[in-house]
Amino acid sequence: MCMKQNNYFQISHNRDKQISSIYFHSHDFYEIYFFVDGNVTYYIENECYNLEKGDVLVIPPGKIHRPVFEKVKEYERYVLWIFGEFIFAEKAIRTYLEQINQAILENNTRRVSFKDDDYSEVKILFDRLISDYFSRNELSEYTSESCNILLLDKILNALKASEGYISESECITVKVISYINENVVNAPTLDELAEKFYVSKYYLLHKFKEYTKTTIHQYILMKKTICQNKCL
């Protein structure tokens, strides 16, 4: 594992054979997630992605997300965290992220897939970014910034060319999460949710806990906390 932190970003490259469950969580920074190997389904609030080698996910601040591991297999990924200080200090980073957010909204997806030469180029950028990040060379600060920009540029262009998001899960929980997200200020009660989706409270609680590893009440509290922090 490679990991280090500064005020601008954090980069890691991990290979795991034994994997613990990861529950829904959120960050106050951007996460760029590059999937290399494994059997992973990735949930980002009400979105569900069955990942393939070369997939990149863009997870903005405040979005609740979690990977689910389908089978025991080596799990390899790169994760880049871009902090607010970097976005504030560097206009290029800020502009790229703004345009990426716009492309996500227009194409209704936060996943792009890189194959063949494009995959190799993205992997080279992540590897170079890690190398520069840990380098003692005084120029590495500038080259790592360039790697970030080149990486965001490839993601932006791929998002613009994307065919959009097609839901890979239409289970009841996905619909409930979407409804809660749309009504988080005046969050619905369990009785209201059960009535709206024509299911029993027991069934809804069971399916929600199975999907998210948390309760409906805890999920709503998490979303309300995120919304309150945005307003501060």
Side-chain angles (χ1 to χ4, degrees):
M1 178 180 71
C2 298
M3 185 173 288
K4 177 184 174 183
Q5 182 171 341
N6 60 26
N7 291 330
Y8 279 4
F9 65 92
Q10 178 174 305
I11 181 75
S12 64
H13 177 204
N14 294 283
R15 295 186 190 91
D16 298 311
K17 291 186 177 179
Q18 293 185 339
I19 308 165
S20 300
S21 296
I22 299 175
Y23 296 157
F24 266 112
H25 60 284
S26 66
H27 309 297
D28 60 357
F29 45 79
Y30 276 88
E31 179 173 319
I32 310 296
Y33 172 99
F34 178 41
F35 180 70
V36 178
D37 194 21
N39 291 299
V40 178
T41 301
Y42 213 103
Y43 297 91
I44 305 174
E45 303 215 347
N46 62 319
E47 301 168 18
C48 172
Y49 300 95
N50 295 321
L51 297 182
E52 298 181 357
K53 179 180 178 179
D55 282 356
V56 170
L57 297 172
V58 180
I59 307 172
K63 292 292 182 182
I64 298 174
H65 56 280
R66 71 181 290 243
V68 174
F69 312 106
E70 305 296 335
K71 298 178 183 178
V72 177
K73 184 180 179 181
E74 184 173 84
Y75 173 39
E76 182 178 0
R77 71 282 187 198
Y78 293 79
V79 179
L80 170 63
W81 291 347
I82 300 178
F83 301 128
E85 290 89 340
F86 202 12
I87 300 169
F88 178 79
E90 301 298 335
K91 182 179 179 181
I93 299 294
R94 183 167 65 252
T95 301
Y96 268 107
L97 288 174
E98 288 172 353
Q99 293 192 22
I100 284 172
N101 279 333
Q102 185 61 35
I104 287 172
L105 291 174
E106 291 175 355
N107 292 293
N108 192 32
T109 186
R110 59 188 76 257
R111 172 175 65 180
V112 291
S113 300
F114 294 101
K115 308 296 183 185
D116 303 323
D117 290 344
D118 287 327
Y119 168 83
S120 297
E121 290 176 11
V122 169
K123 191 173 185 302
I124 286 170
L125 284 172
F126 269 101
D127 286 332
R128 177 61 190 271
L129 184 57
I130 286 177
S131 176
D132 285 345
Y133 188 61
F134 286 92
S135 173
R136 295 183 179 181
N137 189 318
E138 61 182 9
L139 297 177
S140 63
E141 176 184 346
Y142 304 104
T143 53
S144 62
E145 180 182 340
S146 298
C147 281
N148 273 287
I149 291 172
L150 289 171
L151 186 59
L152 293 178
D153 183 70
K154 288 194 69 68
I155 292 170
L156 176 60
N157 289 328
L159 276 169
K160 287 180 177 179
S162 171
E163 296 180 355
Y165 171 70
I166 299 175
S167 177
E168 295 169 2
S169 175
E170 289 298 332
C171 69
I172 185 68
T173 307
V174 168
K175 297 175 184 178
V176 169
I177 289 175
S178 181
Y179 185 75
I180 291 172
N181 291 346
E182 293 169 0
N183 299 277
V184 67
V185 175
N186 298 307
T189 65
L190 177 59
D191 287 332
E192 290 170 339
L193 288 171
E195 181 178 354
K196 177 174 179 59
F197 291 97
Y198 306 103
V199 294
S200 71
K201 291 187 287 185
Y202 172 80
Y203 178 83
L204 182 54
L205 287 170
H206 172 72
K207 286 297 182 182
F208 197 94
K209 185 66 177 289
E210 181 180 60
Y211 182 97
T212 65
K213 306 302 180 186
T214 190
T215 67
I216 292 175
H217 177 67
Q218 289 170 331
Y219 183 88
I220 290 173
L221 288 179
M222 194 183 308
K223 290 296 298 184
K224 283 188 171 182
T225 299
I226 292 170
C227 289
Q228 290 169 357
N229 289 340
K230 285 183 178 179
C231 295
L232 294 178

